Amino acid sequence: MILHRAFSREVLQNTGAVAVLVLSIFLVIRVVGYFRLVAEGTIPTNSVLTLLVLRLLSHLDIIAPLAVYVAILLVLGRWSRDRETVVAAAAGLGLASFLRPTFYLLVILGIVIGGFSLYLSPLALRSGDDVEHEFRSRSDVSGIVPGVFTENLGGDGVYFVESYDPVEGLYRNIFAWVRSDEGDGVVVASTAKKILDEVGEVSTLELGKGARYDGRPGELAYQSIEFETYGMFIGDRPIPPQTRPRLAGWSTLALWEKRHSLELRSELHWRLSKIAILPVLMLLALALGYGGQGQNRMLMMVSALMTYFAYANLGGYLVALSRRDNSEALTLLWILHLLVALIALYLFRRRAQNRALFTGNHGVSG
């Protein structure tokens, strides 16, 4: 049916648009944080894109249900404003007729969100954590950015390079300040090249054509050495080993195998909740978005969004509560889903009967 195809097409288009908008906001926040780490020398510049992609993938299972919810509200809101729902109702196609295309969308989007919630998002989160931990554990020189003064995490060294030649793999015009028990040292050189150790990690810089100046602050005596080639050791960062991945990064299979643990079981329930919330939100969006030409659409949209955030945050709170050895919270989590589903069903029934949601006034005439 043309109406069903148009509804499905516009919902998918708006879902993509809303998801892109939310991801863009998320992207800006993450980019600022990652570039701060780049400026500190914690991670190299060329790793920012990889980390951003992994972080975005790890949050899609949360963003997608919200995007679908808002998309249905936008589509039905526009159709109601343009009186398209009135025309459809006059042709005998009321709110109940939208259940069929909504079910098809539920199957498709449910599979996608389920794939992210149960597999892709934990994998992306785990991979992102591993990449960040790897960069934080590598030598300080791995984070040197041309044109930026980079301080190591210990605060006992500052590095600056003017440019980098990717063809020859050389840094040019290098300045370095290092502090040790013997005093402070300043090194300047024309070129520098990364030298890898046996396990492939950067441990030294091979400097060429420069000088080193050593002394103590406040004292006149200092020592200077000119060199053609000089090796500067870059100590490993004092980052403790990563002993356990975050709970959200565990594979679903591992959670299932160790479900006797309440903490792990709570994460498993949370992932299933991200799938269960989708049909509830879609039914609620149909009820809130359909008809109601005489009401304030902006107020309805704000109310719908507040309902979503209250629902989602309460579910998250119950999951967090269950991780404090409160097993009843998981039962309350599914009672919450059932309660909201019943409320959505009630509102849908009132709207399908051409009645306003909370008053005795009629909505769309059909």
Side-chain angles (χ1 to χ4, degrees):
M1 186 179 294
I2 296 176
L3 180 67
H4 292 174
R5 289 198 297 268
F7 176 75
S8 300
R9 181 178 64 253
E10 291 195 26
V11 168
L12 289 176
Q13 290 174 348
N14 281 271
T15 298
V18 173
V20 169
L21 177 61
V22 176
L23 287 175
S24 299
I25 299 173
F26 173 84
L27 185 67
V28 171
I29 298 174
R30 280 291 182 175
V31 163
V32 173
Y34 282 136
F35 277 120
R36 176 180 60 82
L37 295 178
V38 169
E40 294 174 354
T42 302
I43 61 175
T45 307
N46 56 9
S47 68
V48 172
L49 181 59
T50 300
L51 290 172
L52 281 176
V53 171
L54 291 173
R55 291 310 182 199
L56 290 179
L57 290 176
S58 66
H59 287 80
L60 276 178
D61 57 342
I62 299 176
I63 295 173
L66 172 61
V68 175
Y69 179 66
V70 174
I72 295 178
L73 290 172
L74 291 175
V75 171
L76 291 180
R78 186 187 67 79
W79 284 18
S80 298
R81 185 177 62 252
D82 296 342
R83 300 299 191 271
E84 295 183 26
T85 54
V86 176
V87 175
L93 299 174
L95 178 58
S97 65
F98 289 94
L99 286 177
R100 184 174 181 180
T102 301
F103 176 76
Y104 292 147
L105 290 173
L106 173 61
V107 173
I108 296 173
L109 296 173
I111 293 174
V112 174
I113 294 174
F116 275 100
S117 179
L118 299 177
Y119 180 72
L120 292 177
S121 291
L123 177 62
L125 181 64
R126 189 166 62 252
S127 300
D129 286 345
D130 290 342
V131 170
E132 282 195 39
H133 184 265
E134 177 186 357
F135 284 126
R136 290 175 184 273
S137 301
R138 290 175 60 179
S139 308
D140 291 321
V141 70
S142 64
I144 292 179
V145 181
V148 176
F149 283 93
T150 303
E151 181 180 5
N152 65 8
L153 296 183
D156 56 358
V158 175
Y159 311 98
F160 178 86
V161 297
E162 186 176 73
S163 62
Y164 177 70
D165 184 352
V167 177
E168 299 183 10
L170 293 177
Y171 290 106
R172 299 192 182 279
N173 298 327
I174 298 91
F175 166 87
W177 168 83
V178 292
R179 171 175 291 171
S180 63
D181 295 336
E182 290 74 19
D184 293 359
V186 175
V187 180
V188 292
S190 298
T191 62
K193 184 177 182 179
K194 298 177 182 179
I195 303 298
L196 301 178
D197 58 15
E198 295 180 355
V199 296
E201 297 289 343
V202 178
S203 58
T204 59
L205 280 179
E206 185 180 84
L207 306 174
K209 296 182 179 179
R212 171 163 183 153
Y213 305 92
D214 293 296
R216 292 185 178 276
E219 297 182 2
L220 296 179
Y222 69 91
Q223 178 182 4
S224 64
I225 303 174
E226 294 186 358
F227 55 81
E228 287 293 324
T229 302
Y230 179 81
M232 176 180 291
F233 175 76
I234 306 296
D236 291 336
R237 293 172 174 163
I239 303 296
Q242 190 175 18
T243 57
R244 175 187 174 185
R246 283 190 285 176
L247 194 59
W250 281 51
S251 69
T252 303
L253 181 59
L255 293 176
W256 176 258
E257 292 175 347
K258 300 182 180 181
R259 61 187 182 277
H260 58 275
S261 168
L262 180 59
E263 182 182 16
L264 301 184
R265 192 163 66 250
S266 68
E267 176 62 24
L268 185 61
H269 281 257
W270 177 237
R271 294 182 188 182
L272 295 175
S273 292
K274 295 175 186 177
I275 305 172
I277 197 176
L278 181 62
V280 178
L281 289 177
M282 295 179 78
L283 185 63
L284 187 61
L286 287 176
L288 296 178
Y290 184 82
Q293 285 82 7
Q295 64 190 5
N296 189 320
R297 302 302 304 178
M298 181 61 68
L299 179 60
M300 178 56 71
M301 178 64 73
V302 173
S303 300
L305 290 177
M306 290 179 63
T307 301
Y308 164 79
F309 286 115
Y311 178 23
N313 288 333
L314 184 55
Y317 170 76
L318 291 175
V319 172
L321 189 63
S322 69
R323 294 177 183 176
R324 301 176 183 175
D325 295 330
N326 190 337
S327 59
E328 292 80 6
L330 294 181
T331 303
L332 293 176
L333 173 65
W334 293 104
I335 292 177
L336 172 66
H337 289 310
L338 179 60
L339 179 61
V340 178
L342 291 176
I343 293 174
L345 185 61
Y346 169 76
L347 297 178
F348 179 88
R349 187 167 178 266
R350 288 186 62 90
R351 189 67 90 187
Q353 293 175 346
N354 200 26
R355 302 166 62 188
L357 296 181
F358 305 108
T359 65
N361 297 329
H362 286 278
V364 178
S365 61

